[in-house]
């Protein structure tokens, strides 16, 4: 198994792709203008507390206030919340812990999405190459993606020795697998030094203000994506390639030797098939072997995945044919979730299977594929309706949200009014406007291209009592129209004074 990390740096974007055995497995991009907020630490000001939501809105100095729920209020600054959690009691009301005007240290855990502001927490975490520091906590942990019991025990023992029974808390990241005690200790020292500087800044900084920003996008990608099994790191920008080598020499020297320049002239992502994979990921249909396919539909509430046999006919046993299709779907879906970065609630409608053992096989195949996911995935059993529900932790926008924006014609609905309906609405609007005008008055109806074609076929809406001017405009959406009363012409004005 080999992985290749691609970093494509352009004027507007930094794009990162991870290949697994030559196939695109994950993708992310960061816009240089208005970069990602996740991980940033702010000294904010509570703008209001909403008891009904048990949440507070915090002014961060951004366009939208951050959202802080009571379950995310933790740390030494809130001892009553800690006591309640320790005893299993109900959390005290948030309004007893916070009030408007309070200065508060918060960290962004989810970027703004749609109309929602950034999601916040009060217990910050600071990541480095090998470790995550958790100020205010005392426990140690090891990444779930490190599966070997002996290695997990070794890392936990090193962290406990470094911590000496006192905080702050530490978590060994996936790339810490195999790291020496000295390397872990050096990483911890860097994090403690950073936290000490942040504590000092918190006492003197104005509020609201940003106290800490993550590494630049490309270096953050190296920190988070360049695991020991990455055999090549290809970067299209010479200056960034040099910076990447310097960074990796300081935190993980063996990886520094794997940094390669990209000579071109073909685009880096095009050459490795990432652009083609991105184009395919824009489509709702995902082909499966033998003619079957998935249909992936994202909504604000959840993502629905429908499994279809399509042209797949299989063998003579219908049950085995359905099983084969569902197994292929269960194998493909985890890759679809990772590459499209689908999070939240996901509902999968597999093709109905009568045999319980077939359902068990499909569920096991799905669980096996999701086991290597870097995000937390929880899978429910088959429902009585044959649906499988799963949740996948979402920490950044989906691929569609990163690559696209709502259609200006349909406002993101995915459909637009039928021309016949638009024509009927135009006729009604003309009739209402004509009723308020004097006989012989002029009325201008400006229409889009599709509506103009519909009216040409059916005849324009011309009430006998007014003079209707019909005009086609390329500036309007195809099914839209606008009504106006044209200004009097110079000849009309002269006639009025004659």
């Amino acid at each position: 198994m080999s992985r290749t990390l691609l970093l494509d740096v352009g004027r507007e974007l930094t794009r990162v792709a991870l290949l697994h055995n030559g196939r695109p497995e994950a993708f992310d991009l960061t816009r240089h203008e208005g970069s990602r907020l996740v991980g940033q630490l702010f000294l904010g000001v509570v703008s209001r507390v909403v008891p009904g939501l048990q949440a507070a809105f915090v002014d961060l100095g951004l366009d939208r206030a951050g959202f802080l729920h009571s379950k995310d209020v933790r740390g030494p600054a809130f001892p009553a919340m800690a006591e309640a959690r320790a005893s299993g009691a109900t959390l005290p009301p948030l309004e007893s812990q916070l009030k408007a005007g309070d200065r508060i240290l918060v960290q962004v855990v989810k970027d703004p999405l749609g109309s929602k502001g950034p999601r916040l927490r009060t217990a910050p975490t600071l990541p480095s190459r090998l470790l995550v520091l958790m100020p205010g906590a005392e426990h140690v942990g090891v990444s779930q993606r490190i599966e070997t019991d002996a290695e997990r025990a070794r890392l936990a023992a090193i962290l406990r020795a470094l911590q000496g029974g006192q905080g702050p808390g530490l978590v060994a990241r996936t790339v810490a697998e195999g790291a020496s005690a000295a390397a872990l200790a050096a990483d911890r020292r860097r994090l403690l030094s950073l936290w000490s500087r942040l504590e000092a800044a918190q006492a003197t900084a104005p509020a609201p203000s940003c106290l800490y920003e993550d590494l630049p996008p490309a270096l953050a990608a190296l920190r988070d994506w360049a695991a020991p099994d990455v055999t090549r790191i290809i970067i299209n920008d010479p200056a960034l390639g040099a910076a990447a080598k310097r960074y990796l020499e300081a935190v993980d020297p063996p990886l520094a030797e794997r940094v390669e320049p990209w000579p071109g002239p073909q685009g880096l992502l095009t050459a490795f098939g990432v652009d083609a994979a991105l184009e395919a990921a824009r489509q709702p249909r995902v082909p499966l072997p033998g003619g079957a396919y998935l249909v992936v539909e994202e909504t604000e509430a959840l993502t629905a995945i429908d499994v279809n046999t399509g042209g797949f006919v299989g063998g003579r046993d219908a049950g085995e044919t359905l099983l084969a299709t569902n197994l292929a779907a269960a194998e493909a879906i985890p890759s679809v979730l990772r590459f499209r970065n689908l999070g939240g609630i996901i509902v999968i409608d597999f093709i109905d299977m009568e045999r319980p053992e077939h359902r068990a096989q499909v569920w096991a195949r799905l669980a096996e594929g999701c086991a290597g996911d870097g995000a937390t995935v929880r899978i429910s059993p088959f429902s009585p309706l044959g649906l499988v529900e799963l949740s996948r932790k979402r920490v950044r926008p989906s691929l569609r949200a990163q690559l696209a924006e709502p259609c200006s014609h349909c406002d993101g609905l995915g459909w637009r009014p039928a021309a016949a309906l638009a024509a009927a609405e135009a006729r009604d609007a003309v009739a209402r406007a004509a009723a308020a005008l004097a006989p012989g008055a002029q009325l201008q109806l400006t229409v889009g291209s599709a509506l103009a074609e519909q009216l040409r076929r059916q005849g324009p809406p011309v009430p006998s009592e007014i003079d209707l001017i019909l005009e086609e405009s390329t500036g309007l959406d195809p099914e839209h129209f606008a009504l106006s009363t044209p200004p009097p012409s110079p000849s009309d004005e002269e006639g009025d004074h004659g």
Side-chain angles (χ1 to χ4, degrees):
M1 179 180 70
S2 67
R3 283 187 164 90
T4 301
L5 184 62
L6 309 177
L7 275 74
D8 183 281
V9 182
R11 185 169 297 176
E12 299 86 6
L13 301 171
T14 293
R15 296 178 292 176
V16 184
L18 186 65
L19 311 182
H20 180 201
N21 291 334
R23 297 182 59 183
E25 179 182 59
F27 177 86
D28 193 22
L29 67 81
T30 301
R31 291 176 173 83
H32 298 167
E33 180 181 351
S35 59
R36 184 169 297 155
L37 298 176
V38 168
Q40 292 190 16
L41 276 158
F42 287 86
L43 185 60
V45 178
V46 176
S47 54
R48 61 190 174 109
V49 179
V50 185
L53 294 177
Q54 280 299 287
F57 290 91
V58 181
D59 180 10
L60 306 176
L62 305 174
D63 293 339
R64 281 173 284 183
F67 179 83
L68 175 65
H69 194 272
S70 61
K71 70 179 182 180
D72 296 315
V73 176
R74 299 172 180 269
F78 302 96
M81 306 292 270
E83 291 172 8
R85 290 188 174 96
S87 64
T90 302
L91 292 176
L94 188 60
E95 58 269 27
S96 70
Q97 306 297 305
L98 291 172
K99 64 181 184 299
D102 284 351
R103 289 162 55 104
I104 184 173
L105 181 69
V106 291
Q107 185 173 40
V108 177
V109 292
K110 286 186 180 179
D111 278 319
L113 187 62
S115 60
K116 301 175 182 177
R119 184 73 179 258
L120 309 174
R121 66 182 172 202
T122 61
T125 60
L126 297 175
S128 65
R129 173 68 180 161
L130 303 176
L131 299 175
V132 176
L133 187 77
M134 299 180 293
E138 296 183 357
H139 66 277
V140 300
V142 178
S143 168
Q144 294 181 353
R145 298 185 69 183
I146 298 177
E147 299 177 353
T148 308
D149 290 340
E151 178 63 6
R152 294 179 64 85
R154 185 188 75 87
L155 289 171
I158 293 173
L159 297 189
R160 282 193 292 268
L162 290 174
Q163 192 188 50
Q166 302 175 355
L170 293 168
V171 174
R173 307 186 72 189
T174 304
V175 293
E177 186 169 9
S180 67
L184 294 167
D187 226 31
R188 178 175 177 269
R189 284 194 298 272
R190 283 191 289 267
L191 288 171
L192 289 174
S193 175
L194 171 60
W195 178 241
S196 178
R197 295 195 301 272
L198 290 173
E199 282 188 305
Q202 184 181 350
T204 58
S209 62
C210 180
L211 299 184
Y212 167 78
E213 294 186 51
D214 202 0
L215 290 170
L219 297 186
L222 287 174
R223 180 194 65 199
D224 298 336
W225 292 45
D229 63 350
V230 170
T231 56
R232 302 176 70 192
I233 301 171
I234 307 175
I235 303 175
N236 72 334
D237 181 91
L240 177 61
K245 278 200 170 188
R246 289 194 299 271
Y247 170 75
L248 290 174
E249 283 168 355
V251 299
D252 199 333
L255 278 176
E257 301 300 318
R258 302 172 193 175
V259 175
E260 306 175 20
W262 175 247
Q266 189 177 21
L268 176 60
L269 300 187
T270 300
F272 284 86
V274 178
D275 282 337
L278 292 174
E279 181 59 34
R282 289 188 177 99
Q283 310 303 320
R285 182 176 289 204
V286 180
L288 297 175
Y293 61 90
L294 307 174
V295 176
V296 182
E297 295 287 351
E298 293 181 60
T299 71
E300 186 170 349
L302 53 82
T303 297
I305 301 179
D306 188 37
V307 183
N308 295 272
T309 56
F312 183 66
V313 294
R316 296 182 179 179
D317 187 326
E320 293 297 330
T321 298
L322 298 183
L323 173 62
T325 301
N326 284 335
L327 285 173
E331 187 169 334
I333 285 170
S335 297
V336 170
L337 300 182
R338 282 193 289 272
F339 191 71
R340 301 190 182 203
N341 195 37
L342 298 172
I345 298 172
I346 297 153
V347 179
I348 307 170
D349 184 10
F350 286 104
I351 303 168
D352 289 340
M353 296 173 288
E354 295 182 358
R355 303 176 194 173
E357 62 271 21
H358 285 179
R359 290 190 177 195
Q361 288 181 53
V362 170
W363 192 95
R365 183 72 59 87
L366 179 66
E368 180 184 1
C370 290
D373 199 320
T376 302
V377 179
R378 294 183 175 88
I379 309 174
S380 298
F382 270 91
S383 75
L385 296 177
L387 305 176
V388 171
E389 301 172 16
L390 64 86
S391 66
R392 184 173 185 268
K393 185 176 181 180
R394 175 171 27 214
V395 295
R396 63 182 189 271
S398 70
L399 186 64
R400 187 181 74 174
Q402 294 185 74
L403 298 179
E405 57 188 27
C407 172
S408 60
H409 293 291
C410 69
D411 295 326
L413 294 174
W415 56 271
R416 58 192 190 190
L421 176 61
E425 291 176 346
R427 293 178 190 280
D428 291 344
V430 168
R432 288 193 300 271
L437 297 174
Q442 284 190 332
L443 187 64
Q444 180 169 313
L445 175 63
T446 307
V447 299
S449 57
L451 182 51
E453 177 63 27
Q454 183 75 17
L455 292 176
R456 278 194 289 268
R457 289 199 303 267
Q458 296 182 350
V462 186
S464 57
E465 63 273 16
I466 65 167
D467 179 15
L468 182 69
I469 302 170
L470 182 63
E471 181 176 319
E472 181 178 348
S473 171
T474 57
L476 281 178
D477 289 345
E479 297 81 14
H480 288 190
F481 65 88
L483 279 173
S484 61
T485 305
S489 65
S491 59
D492 290 337
E493 292 180 353
E494 291 172 5
D496 290 342
H497 293 287

